């Protein structure tokens, strides 16, 4: 059996993503072999492929590199002392973060501690869509201490992280305001958020007295959104590139501000997969690309206008 993986041997545009074959690996102690059904795509995958950011700087002398942190699939073999799962179990995980990656593989060996069981009522598509994005959403909302009755402004509510963050904030009984383009206004309303079209006017002209800002855009949009906040508001800015700038300006205005780096937490993923299984969390999947069209998938994520998530089907 061969294992096709999507690797980069050099940094560059989507065309540097190439399919390589290697033998299917054998699980080591504490690991399981997963046949990957779907791999989720995140902006970090494309940023690293392009040679930008911290992961790329760490990997530059150590290519090829296989991207991908979000996987769902089925357990094929359990290694020695790997006893949490059985052969045939459906699992999902936020794996190899941040340096190893490896999710864009048909077969991958993963420490069993990095995986969660996928409930029967959750599809493998949904399970691959949520690991990194939903944990970013939960961890950002937790950092901000979001609670019942608060007014929470989430920039980029239609994106991978945003569409989940809106639903989780609403489940915590917050009132949610969000920004999106005209094309996503109706979609945002279906999730229960007050949607503001950023193409029409700056959000600072439309929202006031917000207790929390979850910034998923960074840069000028985030700086403008600081003018929507009440005294003592909390700011969590998620894009790392502009985090220092946003935090500095937010603190000058008297707000409590922080950046963040998501951290994989399988127990948190268990809870999120359960929320999906009972319909408390709805995943939006814009498109599923066959692995041979990974270049198109990266072009899409790089538009910055993906609605919800995009996935790779790793078995076709
Ligand atoms: N620090 C961390 O640990 C961490 C973790 C995860 C993600 N991130 C970063 O967080 C950001 C969001 O991630 P993501 O996965 O949600 O990205 P994404 O899925 O690519 O976000 C796409 C969404 O952004 C919206 N958007 C684009 N420009 C906008 C603007 N000016 N105002 C409002 N919405 C806008 C688009 O909506 P429209 O089409 O309606 O414009 C689209 O739905 C990325 O920069 C990512 O790298 C950081």
């Amino acid at each position: 059996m061969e294992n096709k993986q999507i690797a980069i041997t050099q940094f560059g545009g989507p065309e540097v993503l190439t399919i390589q074959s290697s033998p299917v690996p054998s699980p080591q102690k504490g690991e399981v072999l997963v046949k990957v059904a779907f791999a989720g795509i995140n902006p970090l995958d494309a940023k690293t492929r392009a040679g930008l950011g911290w992961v790329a700087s760490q990997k530059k002398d150590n290519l090829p590199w296989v991207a991908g942190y979000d996987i769902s699939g089925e357990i094929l073999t359990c290694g020695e002392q790997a006893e949490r799962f059985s052969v045939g179990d459906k699992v999902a995980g936020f794996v190899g973060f941040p340096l190893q990656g490896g999710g864009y593989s048909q077969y991958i060996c993963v420490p069993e501690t990095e995986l969660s069981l996928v409930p029967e009522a959750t599809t493998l598509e949904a399970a691959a869509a949520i690991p990194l994005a939903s944990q970013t959403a939960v961890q950002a909302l937790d950092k901000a201490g979001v609670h019942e009755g608060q007014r929470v402004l989430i920039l980029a509510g239609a994106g991978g992280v945003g569409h989940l963050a809106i639903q989780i904030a609403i489940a915590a009984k917050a009132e949610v305001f969000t920004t999106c383009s005209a094309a996503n206004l109706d979609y945002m309303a279906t999730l229960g958020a007050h949607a503001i079209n950023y193409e029409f006017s700056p959000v600072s002209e439309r929202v006031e007295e917000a207790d929390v800002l979850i910034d998923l855009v960074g840069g000028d949009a985030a700086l403008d959104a600081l003018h929507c906040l009440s005294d003592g508001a909390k700011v969590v800015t998620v894009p790392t590139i502009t985090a220092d700038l946003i935090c500095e300006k937010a603190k000058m205005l008297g707000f409590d501000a922080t950046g963040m780096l998501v951290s994989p937490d399988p127990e948190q993923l268990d809870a999120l997969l359960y929320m999906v299984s009972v319909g408390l969390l709805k995943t939006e999947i814009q498109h599923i690309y066959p692995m041979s069209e990974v270049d198109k998938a990266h072009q899409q994520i790089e538009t910055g206008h993906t609605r919800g998530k995009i996935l790779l089907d790793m078995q076709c």
Side-chain angles (χ1 to χ4, degrees):
M1 240 179 358
E2 63 169 3
N3 179 21
K4 288 192 194 155
Q5 298 181 296
I6 300 164
I8 54 167
T9 53
Q10 57 179 313
F11 297 129
E15 70 284 353
V16 302
L17 293 156
T18 49
I19 295 183
Q20 297 187 345
S21 285
S22 57
V24 173
S26 299
Q28 304 298 303
K29 206 165 153 183
E31 289 185 342
V32 291
L33 173 64
V34 179
K35 180 179 182 184
V36 179
F38 299 99
I41 297 205
N42 290 287
L44 177 59
D45 306 352
K47 187 169 141 185
T48 306
R49 183 219 70 224
L52 304 171
W54 182 78
V55 177
S57 73
Q58 299 301 301
K59 284 284 159 193
K60 68 179 182 344
D61 299 321
N62 199 13
L63 299 176
W65 183 66
V66 177
Y69 304 108
D70 286 340
I71 58 162
S72 69
E74 184 184 334
I75 305 263
L76 281 194
T77 325
C78 299
E80 210 184 304
Q81 290 179 23
E83 287 160 3
R84 281 183 65 209
F85 301 106
S86 305
V87 169
D89 280 352
K90 304 278 196 293
V91 290
F94 175 8
V95 302
F97 186 78
L99 287 178
Q100 199 176 333
Y104 294 5
S105 301
Q106 290 187 313
Y107 299 90
I108 184 173
C109 288
V110 183
E112 63 170 2
T113 50
E114 291 188 18
L115 296 173
S116 298
L117 198 63
V118 177
E120 239 170 62
T122 303
T123 63
L124 285 178
E125 288 87 339
I130 68 164
L132 189 152
S134 67
Q135 291 189 62
T136 304
V138 170
Q139 290 169 24
L141 293 164
D142 279 354
K143 263 186 189 292
V146 167
H147 57 264
E148 182 169 356
Q150 285 192 312
R151 290 162 65 85
V152 176
L153 172 58
I154 299 174
L155 303 185
V161 179
H163 82 293
L164 300 168
I166 288 174
Q167 296 174 70
I168 296 164
I170 287 176
K173 300 190 182 166
E175 182 175 12
V176 176
F177 300 81
T178 193
T179 54
C180 63
S181 63
N184 281 316
L185 285 170
D186 288 349
Y187 171 51
M188 294 292 86
T190 65
L191 296 184
H194 304 286
I196 291 118
N197 178 354
Y198 65 80
E199 297 169 316
F200 189 69
S201 59
V203 69
S204 57
E205 292 177 12
R206 305 284 301 283
V207 176
E208 54 188 22
E209 298 293 313
D211 303 296
V212 169
L213 169 63
I214 304 292
D215 164 34
L216 300 170
V217 176
D220 289 343
L223 293 175
D224 173 62
L226 295 176
H227 300 287
C228 302
L229 304 181
S230 62
D231 289 349
K234 295 208 166 151
V235 175
V236 179
T237 179
V238 179
T240 47
I241 289 177
T242 55
D244 288 347
L245 169 75
I246 310 301
C247 287
E248 190 187 320
K249 295 277 180 193
K251 285 176 185 164
M252 275 168 53
L253 292 168
F255 304 126
D256 179 353
T258 178
M260 67 168 275
L261 183 63
V262 62
S263 164
D265 178 344
E267 281 181 21
Q268 198 168 56
L269 184 57
D270 287 341
L272 289 155
L273 287 164
Y274 171 77
M275 286 178 74
V276 174
S277 75
V278 295
L280 281 173
L281 196 58
K282 294 187 180 61
T283 53
E284 176 75 19
I285 297 174
Q286 178 174 315
H287 195 72
I288 301 176
Y289 297 84
M291 70 182 288
S292 57
E293 292 183 9
V294 63
D295 54 338
K296 291 194 181 120
H298 271 226
Q299 281 161 11
Q300 173 57 41
I301 202 76
E302 287 181 309
T303 65
H305 295 288
T306 299
R307 179 188 285 187
K309 297 293 299 180
I310 53 175
L311 307 180
L312 295 174
D313 183 336
M314 298 305 297
Q315 297 298 330
C316 76

